[in-house]
Each structure stands twice: as structure tokens, then as C-alpha cells.
Amino acid sequence: MSQTPIPLFNLQKQHDSLKNEINAAALDALNSMRWLLGPQTEAFEKEFAEAIGVKHCITCSSGASAIQIALGAAGIGEGDEVITTPFTFIATTSSVSLTGAKFVFADIDPRTYNIDPKDIERKITKKTKAILPVHLYGFPADMDAIMNLAREHDLRVIEDCAQAHLATADGVKVGGIGDAGAFSFYPSKNLGACGDAGAITTNDDDIADRCRSLRHSGRAKDKAYEYDLEGSTLRMDEIQAAILRVKLRHLADWTDARQKVAALYEEGLQGLPVVTPPLPPAGYSQSYYVYTIRAERRDELQQYLKEHGIGSAVYYPVPLYKQPAYKHLNLNPQDYPNAEKAAQEVLSIPMFPELTQEQVTRVCDTIRDFYENH
């Protein structure tokens, strides 16, 4: 008898558990006739800022627009260089390009998959104006080293927190460490909207004011038809804000549940030819957007899991230096050996707060069966 499939993400289960609250909140926002920058947005921005531990939260249309807005608000533009990782989603780099700046890649740490501060230091030039670390898979980048480099070279730091809601570095939540943090609320994220949405977090009053202007066509503060900046229309709507307010109340519990699932995986995968995610050092915590292993015979294992009804995915099979969009840059894969190797070996297996111990055991047993009997 076939077993019930285990998806990589299970958005349905979470949605069903909150359906009545979500529907009521969305309907209230819809009927309010305040569909943009209204009371739901104001309340969510206040609540999310408190959750991250920062002074300001500025909502916007997506995680990609959050990066673009944050960079622009921090003064990054034409002729500037921004050092970031090639092992991430393309929104990280396309957002840099949309400011007029140029991205420069530094290789990753082979254990955390995050940008390597030592390689960042090697890539700093007179044109470098910012570092854009990505807290990949929910594991915080080495923010101590990155902030030290930033202070030494007078650089801005914009954190890409798209996968790292409530993750911490040195006891501080990501998004509250650099000059600004950029969050995605894409539906599959740890805190997901019912559509596209994002936010910038910051403790800098001037950056916050410029973010609010840039997401709203560059409008001057408290003035309807005066524009201090050339911005764009990158607002988040009231319905998404209302939905996110419902979900935010559960985010801490969901994060705890993800961490417990990760502990079960760590135990269940012992003795197999896979490398589990590193345990965060003291003061650090991971939010486990995905649970990513490094596996021998990765593609064969992924196919075997598929045949047994278990979802998995590779984040990311084609590093950005190999993307057709960047072919004109003539980047050399040999300059990023750790990213190149990770792309050939990483595999993300099911991870969501509602994952049961029985399901985790089944995933681990299937992986064990693959290596021991195939």
C-alpha cells in the first residue's frame, strides 16, 4: 500500500489551521476601503519591528524590492560595488543591478554555505560601498567578521534575511545587525503572505525615511505631490498586512517547531554518508527555512526520494556566476570552488513546522535504505 506523500513544504496544513482567522482579517481589510498604507500596514510594521528588535519596519512588495530599496536608501548606486554571494537566489544580485551598482562575488564557507568573510576582504576595492550577506537556509552569516570588515573599510551592510526570520547572531536577531535587513514574505517562507510581500528593518532613522519614500514613488515625507527622490511603486497592500499579522503571532512557535524537527533529523541521519547542517555556535540560532544536507550521489538520492513520495529540492543547482543572465560577465567557476562543490552536493529535504516525528523517521529511513541497499 502506497504511503501518503511528504512534501518539501506543506502550506495547506498551516493555512487550514488559520483559515478562519486569515479569511476574517483579509475581509476586514478589503471592506475597510483602505487598501494601501492603512492601519493594517502600520500595525504590522510596528509588530514586526518589535519581533526583530529594531526601531523601524518598512513594508514593501517583495523580498527583492526590499533589497533594492534598502540599498538605495543606504546610498548605494551607479559606480558602486556590492560584495555578495554567488550561492543564492538571483533576486539578491538583480536587486543590486537595479540600483545601478555592480555586484562582486565572494566565495562561500563550505560548512555554512554563507559568504566567506575572508574572501570578502580579498574582494574589497576603492569602489566597494556595501556588503550584502545572505543568511542562507536560515543559518546566520558570520556577522561578527562582516561587521568588523564594514567598520574597517567604512562600508554599508544590508542583510538578506529572506530565509532567516527570527534567526539570531550573537543574541541579536538578523535584520537588526547591519544598516538594514531585507525580508521576504513569499508564501513558502517561515512567515509567508498569501502572495508577494516584503519588508526592510533598520535602526537608522534616515534610512527608514528614505525607504518609505522609495517604496512610494519617492514621495516627500508628509507631502502629497512633492518628491525628494526618484522611487517606484513597491508598496505592500493592506490585505497582505492583515494576513501577516495573523501569522506573526505564531512565528515564534513555528520557529521552535522547525528547530525540533532539525534535531530529529540530526539524530536520524547519524552514520550515513551525508553532512547535516552545522549546529549554530553560542549566541546563534537557525530558523531552518529548509533543512539542507550535503549528500553523496545526490541526484540518485533525490530520485529515490521522489519514487518514495518524499519531496526534496536543490537550492541552488546553478550558481549565479553560471546563469545565462550573467554570461556577459565572463565569470570563472574556478574562482568559487566552495560554491561550485556545494551546488553539486546539497539537497533540501522536507521541513515545515507541522512535520511529525513519524514523517521525519520515514524520511531518514528512506535515506538510510538508499545508502545501505542501493
Side-chain angles (χ1 to χ4, degrees), residues 233-251:
T233 306
L234 299 171
R235 301 176 296 255
M236 184 177 84
D237 65 69
E238 282 282 280
I239 293 174
Q240 298 302 341
I243 291 167
L244 287 167
R245 291 187 68 199
V246 171
K247 291 189 168 188
L248 180 58
R249 295 195 287 269
H250 302 273
L251 181 59

Side-chain angles (χ1 to χ4, degrees), residues 86-138:
F87 199 60
T88 181
F89 184 55
I90 195 170
T92 304
T93 48
S94 63
S95 300
V96 174
S97 299
L98 286 169
T99 68
K102 174 186 175 184
F103 58 82
V104 174
F105 289 137
D107 201 9
I108 62 171
D109 182 300
R111 210 42 203 104
T112 67
Y113 310 112
N114 285 320
I115 193 167
D116 182 355
K118 293 178 182 177
D119 205 32
I120 293 175
E121 190 168 19
R122 287 190 284 267
K123 301 297 173 65
I124 293 173
T125 71
K126 292 181 179 179
K127 293 183 178 180
T128 305
K129 293 296 185 292
I131 304 171
L132 177 53
V134 178
H135 304 299
L136 198 70
Y137 306 150

